[in-house]
Amino acid sequence: MRISARGNRTAPPRAVAAGFTLVELLVVVAIVALTAGAVTLALRDPAADRLAREAARLAALLEAARAESRATGIAVWWLPARSDQGHEGFRFVGLPGEAARHRDWLDQQVRAEVRPADADASAAGGFGRAAGATVAPARIVLGPEAIIGAQRIVLTLGAQRLELATDGLGPFAPAQPAVERAARGRHAARATA
């Protein structure tokens, strides 16, 4: 036991501060907010992923059929079609044997439509056909010529929409939305001025 002189008492031990400071709490809240934002941006709509997968598959098939057409000299067309069982899909006309059969989409809700490659024909309401004229099924010409002309396919899945397009010389690839094309055009015009 410790004995001390009168009036010479040792101070009672101080209480240790418990808890967090306001700065520490704000740092933790900021980290949680940044993490939540990153996770939200990383999540994609599953329909958009399925549609992108269908577009990549179709672009590869179109390019393979285009190469086959040029190599053999046989005219080949692609067109959206419905199978005998009523499934939406597509066909290649002109390819020999198994390659010409109907193919289903990987996702049965995907729909395809052939559209005019230029916006003016689209705004005019079609392919420039006369009133009362018979309408041939819309199709994509894949060859045998090396330059096939600008063509466009619009794939839809629910509310999602994706365009595959070619300028006739390059491969089919996802097209930029019209808003991005217009913005890029304005930017290019400013750069040249």
Side-chain angles (χ1 to χ4, degrees):
M1 173 185 271
R2 200 165 161 198
I3 301 177
S4 63
R6 189 171 221 176
N8 193 10
R9 292 192 172 181
T10 58
R14 279 186 167 193
V16 177
F20 300 102
T21 65
L22 181 59
V23 172
E24 292 170 331
L25 289 174
L26 287 175
V27 168
V28 169
V29 168
I31 290 171
V32 168
L34 288 173
T35 303
V39 167
T40 301
L41 292 175
L43 295 177
R44 282 192 62 183
D45 182 11
D49 287 338
R50 291 192 316 255
L51 193 59
R53 192 170 37 253
E54 290 284 10
R57 174 181 173 236
L58 180 59
L61 289 171
L62 289 169
E63 290 309 312
R66 192 171 169 189
E68 176 83 14
S69 176
R70 283 195 308 254
T72 61
I74 298 172
V76 175
W77 301 279
W78 176 91
L79 55 110
R82 192 175 290 239
S83 71
D84 295 336
Q85 294 81 21
H87 298 171
E88 293 287 334
F90 53 91
R91 306 188 29 204
F92 288 95
V93 177
L95 289 178
E98 190 67 20
R101 71 175 173 78
H102 179 272
R103 296 173 190 247
D104 291 337
W105 297 109
L106 297 175
D107 187 317
Q108 289 299 316
Q109 297 173 346
V110 171
R111 301 292 178 259
E113 181 182 357
V114 176
R115 293 267 180 94
D118 61 336
D120 296 334
S122 177
F127 300 93
R129 63 184 107 95
T134 59
V135 179
R139 63 185 184 181
I140 297 289
V141 178
L142 298 173
E145 295 80 21
I147 300 175
I148 58 175
Q151 300 178 78
R152 187 169 66 137
I153 302 168
V154 177
L155 299 177
T156 56
L157 175 61
Q160 298 294 327
R161 183 173 181 240
L162 195 143
E163 292 183 11
L164 280 178
T166 181
D167 60 359
L169 198 54
F172 281 87
Q176 292 179 332
V179 174
E180 288 181 29
R181 283 194 305 265
R184 192 180 72 224
R186 284 193 302 271
H187 179 68
R190 273 191 241 135
T192 58

